[in-house]
Amino acid sequence: MEATISVEEKLIGVLEEESQLLDDILSLQGAVRLCVKKRKWNELEKNLSELQAKGDRFSELDLMREELSAGKNLYTDSNIAVCSNAVRSKLVKSKIENQVLNEYVSTTRKFLQRVFDDALPESRNKIYDRYGRIVKNEASSLILNQVI
């Protein structure tokens, strides 16, 4: 006799798989941050493609979770609530990790732009497009013989 799996059991299975996937995503996000800081670009590309694949799989699981939980309160069943809370907390951690990386890249970019503006005085001149709007002038190419 074939055993049927209830909707609740399927939902718990999806939530547990999402939780495991988020653990993998969080570790990859940390690896991406380290690759950026240490300038390991080949490793960064590998980690980003792996992160993209895991993100795609998470999106698929999230659609399944939405279908299974349609019209249900995820907090009434204690087993489902525990899994759901774990997934939510990992999503918040992932969001924070993304913000940290974004802030690091943004700050570094601004710093380097100031260094290039100081090193190349002609880049501070204003350039206008054919409609009279100011166009941001950035260094077209620069070769350095030292690591910044």
Side-chain angles (χ1 to χ4, degrees), residues 11-118:
L11 185 56
I12 289 172
V14 167
L15 287 169
E16 287 174 347
E17 192 175 344
E18 278 184 335
S19 180
Q20 180 58 46
L21 204 52
L22 281 169
D23 286 336
D24 297 343
I25 287 172
L26 284 168
S27 68
L28 278 171
Q29 285 176 318
V32 164
R33 186 167 31 98
L34 285 175
C35 288
V36 168
K37 283 185 177 181
K38 294 182 178 182
R39 296 182 302 276
K40 295 183 177 181
W41 308 124
N42 291 333
E43 195 175 322
L44 175 67
E45 281 186 44
K46 182 182 82 91
N47 286 333
L48 286 176
S49 76
E50 199 174 325
L51 191 60
Q52 181 67 40
K54 290 192 183 292
D56 291 343
R57 176 66 182 143
F58 183 84
S59 295
E60 293 170 8
L61 286 172
D62 207 42
L63 287 174
M64 288 174 54
R65 182 196 52 80
E66 285 179 10
E67 290 173 5
L68 291 170
S69 66
K72 292 184 182 184
N73 186 352
L74 296 179
Y75 301 104
T76 55
D77 183 349
S78 63
N79 293 333
I80 295 174
V82 168
C83 292
S84 180
N85 286 337
V87 168
R88 287 179 57 154
S89 69
K90 289 175 185 179
L91 282 171
V92 169
K93 288 177 188 175
S94 176
K95 182 177 178 181
I96 291 169
E97 186 71 32
N98 281 340
Q99 289 172 339
V100 166
L101 180 62
N102 185 36
E103 185 66 27
Y104 175 79
V105 169
S106 176
T107 302
T108 303
R109 182 182 179 281
K110 287 176 187 175
F111 170 75
L112 290 175
Q113 187 62 48
R114 278 187 273 136
V115 168
F116 291 146
D117 287 345
D118 290 344

Side-chain angles (χ1 to χ4, degrees), residues 122-136:
E122 71 276 359
S123 67
R124 285 186 266 156
N125 297 333
K126 292 182 181 177
I127 296 180
Y128 297 90
D129 65 5
R130 64 181 180 179
Y131 301 109
R133 295 179 296 226
I134 296 176
V135 176
K136 186 173 182 180

